[in-house]
Amino acid sequence: MKKYLGILLLYNLGKWCHQPLITAVAIAWLGYALYQFVRRHGQDEADDADEITQSQALFEEAQVEYRYITTAQFEQTMNHLDNPGQLGDVLVAEMAQGRPVGAVALLTTGILKARQAMIQTGIIERSDEKRKSANTPGYDLVSHQYAEVAGKQFNLYHRTHLLPFRFTLSEGDNIDGLLFTGTAHLNHGDRPQINYLMLHNQARVNQLYAAYQNNHYRLVLSDVHVPGEVAGTNYSLDDFEQLATRIILSKKQSETEFKYEVSCDYDTEGPLPQSITVNLWDLTHQTLAFTVTLPNDI
């Protein structure tokens, strides 16, 4: 504002003193100031347009489509090397008897990179409220169970994604059957009832990835106990979600295709699964990258 007042004062001074040179300088100065304003304003609009274009490009690369499949269709594809849909699909089995059945994510390396970029740039954000509003059978029965660690309360059960958020960009509020009630132990590796909290699981993931590489890029884990940990401490769903992410992103070709699938295994009529089976298929190279069954134990 002071700059423009100065220009106006200089212009009037030139007129009052009958000095055409001063007036010309004022006019030139004003013209330059207006040019800078228009240029900056135009640049802001161009930057906004670039951001919109980049967001649209990421949405197109992410190719997110949510679809329901029947229980029979899910059972036909689970544990088999096939492609039950289109790349980019998030396929969720329709719930049977009011219980989650399973889900599938059909990804490429490029699709996963785009979905992660949408999270990292804030185009898509996590939402506790959306997750709380999602249908999670059985959670209300156990939501009051917790343990105290260092004066803080930690829930023994979580609203748990069958497919990780970075694979789906969904909290489960927009497609039924994506969330189930999992223990903190299964979901994240925490066992608060014995004062065991999983703060960093990178060493676990490194361990699993090394085993995958050393076994000719295939991991079939029958013993899910974590070596060196207290008895009864198992690998978590998060460990294998991160392992799957690392395997998918390790491929040089962005078109490399994968099928990540998870099923709920029940041994009673209750709403909580006894265990969860997780598979990652490399569809391009026609191989099973890993398979594991994790107990839903506290």
Side-chain angles (χ1 to χ4, degrees):
M1 178 61 75
K2 290 180 179 179
K3 178 173 66 177
Y4 295 111
L5 287 175
I7 295 172
L8 183 61
L9 180 60
L10 184 64
Y11 174 76
N12 286 323
L13 183 62
K15 290 184 65 177
W16 292 336
C17 297
H18 303 288
Q19 294 292 329
L21 182 59
I22 296 177
T23 303
V25 169
I27 293 172
W29 189 5
L30 179 61
Y32 179 73
L34 288 173
Y35 163 75
Q36 291 288 356
F37 173 79
V38 171
R39 186 180 66 83
R40 283 197 299 270
H41 185 67
Q43 185 62 49
D44 290 343
E45 290 185 344
D47 290 343
D48 290 343
D50 286 344
E51 288 182 10
I52 293 171
T53 301
Q54 291 172 4
S55 298
Q56 290 174 339
L58 282 176
F59 270 112
E60 290 174 2
E61 291 176 32
Q63 301 180 42
V64 187
E65 290 287 345
Y66 305 104
R67 306 182 194 278
Y68 287 109
I69 57 176
T70 66
T71 299
Q73 288 172 321
F74 176 76
E75 290 175 347
Q76 286 171 3
T77 189
M78 184 68 191
N79 299 316
H80 291 90
L81 181 60
D82 67 352
N83 186 338
Q86 302 296 319
L87 288 174
D89 281 354
V90 174
L91 303 171
V92 180
E94 296 172 342
M95 291 200 294
Q97 302 174 344
R99 305 187 301 188
V101 172
V104 177
L106 297 172
L107 301 161
T108 65
T109 301
I111 288 173
L112 179 55
K113 285 181 178 178
R115 291 182 185 178
Q116 291 200 138
M118 291 176 72
I119 298 169
Q120 292 163 356
T121 57
I123 297 172
I124 297 291
E125 296 181 350
R126 299 301 307 266
S127 171
D128 290 340
E129 292 306 312
K130 287 183 177 180
R131 187 163 58 256
K132 288 176 182 177
S133 70
N135 182 14
T136 312
Y139 184 75
D140 290 343
L141 301 175
V142 294
S143 61
H144 62 285
Q145 296 187 32
Y146 64 88
E148 286 194 6
V149 179
K152 291 185 177 181
Q153 294 183 357
F154 291 87
N155 289 335
L156 299 184
Y157 290 87
H158 293 172
R159 294 180 178 90
T160 306
H161 283 73
L162 283 170
L163 308 176
F165 182 81
R166 58 187 170 276
F167 285 15
T168 66
L169 305 181
S170 171
E171 295 289 8
D173 57 309
N174 61 342
I175 185 161
D176 225 15
L178 186 59
L179 297 191
F180 71 99
T181 299
T183 62
H185 186 190
L186 168 67
N187 184 33
H188 190 252
D190 299 325
R191 303 182 70 195
Q193 73 280 9
I194 62 169
N195 294 331
Y196 183 96
L197 299 179
M198 177 48 56
L199 302 179
H200 305 286
N201 66 338
Q202 201 56 52
R204 287 186 179 188
V205 179
N206 291 342
Q207 200 174 59
L208 291 169
Y209 189 70
Y212 158 78
Q213 287 182 308
N214 295 335
N215 194 41
H216 306 290
Y217 300 97
R218 178 183 172 91
L219 180 64
V220 179
L221 205 62
S222 55
D223 181 6
V224 297
H225 175 258
V226 181
E229 295 291 358
V230 63
T233 300
N234 302 321
Y235 287 107
S236 71
L237 195 54
D238 185 46
D239 296 333
F240 281 91
E241 290 171 352
Q242 291 196 39
L243 175 63
T245 300
R246 184 178 295 187
I247 292 172
I248 294 171
L249 296 182
S250 71
K251 303 303 178 182
K252 295 181 180 179
Q253 300 297 324
S254 62
E255 298 83 9
T256 306
E257 300 176 9
F258 290 90
K259 179 176 71 163
Y260 181 88
E261 58 188 15
V262 182
S263 69
C264 298
D265 311 312
Y266 298 91
D267 66 345
T268 68
E269 296 300 317
L272 275 61
Q274 175 197 17
S275 61
I276 298 293
T277 297
V278 187
N279 298 330
L280 177 66
W281 299 91
D282 182 335
L283 299 178
T284 296
H285 300 99
Q286 298 285 286
T287 59
L288 176 66
F290 71 71
T291 180
V292 65
T293 297
L294 301 169
N296 195 19
D297 293 342
I298 292 178

